């Protein structure tokens, strides 16, 4: 299968913004193993701004655009250095791809991106994709990596998009507030009732919330791609997800 895995800042970094080494090492090991099993893997990775915050010893995530972009520039180097080093242990070569919203909205640039991705996968590389935060401003931003993951899955005609998040999946209510909230294992259609279950944004370091995840689900399922939301603390669950087992919440692709 061609699998796009989106990993959020909350999985990659501690609350301090510093790298969560155990999580990242485990994630790289599982993705390398899935690649060894014959799957094509594309990683959409958050974390550049968060890691830049840690590297620059800033007190927290900056609120002004130039500081965010400076943190992203520093953090992106650190992020790719880490992935390069870790994947190399398992004999896998990573490729960095930075995108803005304009790149995928512009037909010619989108085609260039699709062709490059196809060739990278043919050559056996593992693309690591992030938003080009250093130059993207509000007008040209995709905005969050859930949406970016969905765009990448659609452009590459992926079979599966997995969103690794700080939550187990979609619940009947907010599990952080309601002890009776139940996990919904399968969603056949993103209806207005399902959309009503989405709360606000997620963790303090990230930008995504359940609403962005449901938007991503609508995009990819319409293109014939399944999507799963699960907790990024357990990268080993990717094995079960790849085998189609019940993990987190699976949004079922629309059959053509």
């Amino acid at each position: 299968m061609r699998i796009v895995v989106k990993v959020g800042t909350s999985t990659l970094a501690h609350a301090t913004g510093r790298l969560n080494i155990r999580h990242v090492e485990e994630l790289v090991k599982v993705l390398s193993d899935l690649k060894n099993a014959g799957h094509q893997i594309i990683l959409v990775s958050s974390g550049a701004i968060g890691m830049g915050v840690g590297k620059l010893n800033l007190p927290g995530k900056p609120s002004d655009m130039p500081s965010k972009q400076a943190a992203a520039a520093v953090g992106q180097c650190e992020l790719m250095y880490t992935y390069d080093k870790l994947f190399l242990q398992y004999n896998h070569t990573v490729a960095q791809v930075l995108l803005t919203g304009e790149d995928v909205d512009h037909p010619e640039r989108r085609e260039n991106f699709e062709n490059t991705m196809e060739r990278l996968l043919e050559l056996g590389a593992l693309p690591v994709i992030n938003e080009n935060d250093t130059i993207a401003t509000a007008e040209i931003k995709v905005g969050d990596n859930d949406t970016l993951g969905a765009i990448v899955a659609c452009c590459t005609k992926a079979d599966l998009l997995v969103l690794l998040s700080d939550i187990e999946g979609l619940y009947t209510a907010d599990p952080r507030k309601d002890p009776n909230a139940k996990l919904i294992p399968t969603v056949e259609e993103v209806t207005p009732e399902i959309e009503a279950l989405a709360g606000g944004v997620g963790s303090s370091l990230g930008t995504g919330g359940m609403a962005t995840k449901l938007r991503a689900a609508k995009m990819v399922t319409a293109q014939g791609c399944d999507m799963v939301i699960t907790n990024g603390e357990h990268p080993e669950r990717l094995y079960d997800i790849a085998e189609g087992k019940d993990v987190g919440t699976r949004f079922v692709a629309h059959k053509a």
Side-chain angles (χ1 to χ4, degrees), residues 86-155:
L86 293 175
F87 276 111
L88 205 55
Q89 293 176 357
Y90 302 104
N91 296 317
H92 291 303
T93 300
V94 295
Q96 173 180 271
V97 182
L98 295 175
L99 288 175
T100 66
E102 262 190 348
D103 297 325
V104 283
D105 290 339
H106 188 283
E108 202 171 297
R109 276 151 73 171
R110 182 179 175 125
E111 189 182 349
N112 289 342
F113 166 61
E114 289 173 358
N115 291 342
T116 303
M117 290 295 292
E118 204 58 49
R119 184 49 54 89
L120 281 170
L121 294 169
E122 282 171 13
L123 293 169
L126 193 153
V128 179
I129 299 178
N130 198 353
E131 180 135 26
N132 197 343
D133 288 315
T134 308
I135 63 157
T137 53
E139 297 77 50
I140 61 167
K141 270 180 90 65
V142 173
D144 64 89
N145 276 3
D146 296 326
T147 307
L148 185 63
I151 289 168
V152 170
C154 291
C155 285

Side-chain angles (χ1 to χ4, degrees), residues 12 36 46 51 73 76 99 106 108 111 120 134 162 193 203 208 216 223 227 239 245 254 256:
L12 294 171
N36 289 348
S46 302
M51 287 180 82
Q76 189 63 35
L99 288 175
H106 188 283
E108 202 171 297
E111 189 182 349
L120 281 170
T134 308
V162 183
E193 291 76 24
S203 69
Q223 297 292 320
M227 188 184 103
Y239 292 123
K245 294 179 183 168
H254 301 171

Side-chain angles (χ1 to χ4, degrees), residues 57-85:
N57 293 313
L58 300 176
K61 187 175 175 180
S63 54
D64 65 293
M65 187 59 80
S67 298
K68 276 185 190 169
Q69 293 180 315
V74 171
Q76 189 63 35
C77 296
E78 181 83 349
L79 195 61
M80 285 311 299
Y81 170 73
T82 303
Y83 283 134
D84 191 43
K85 193 173 63 171

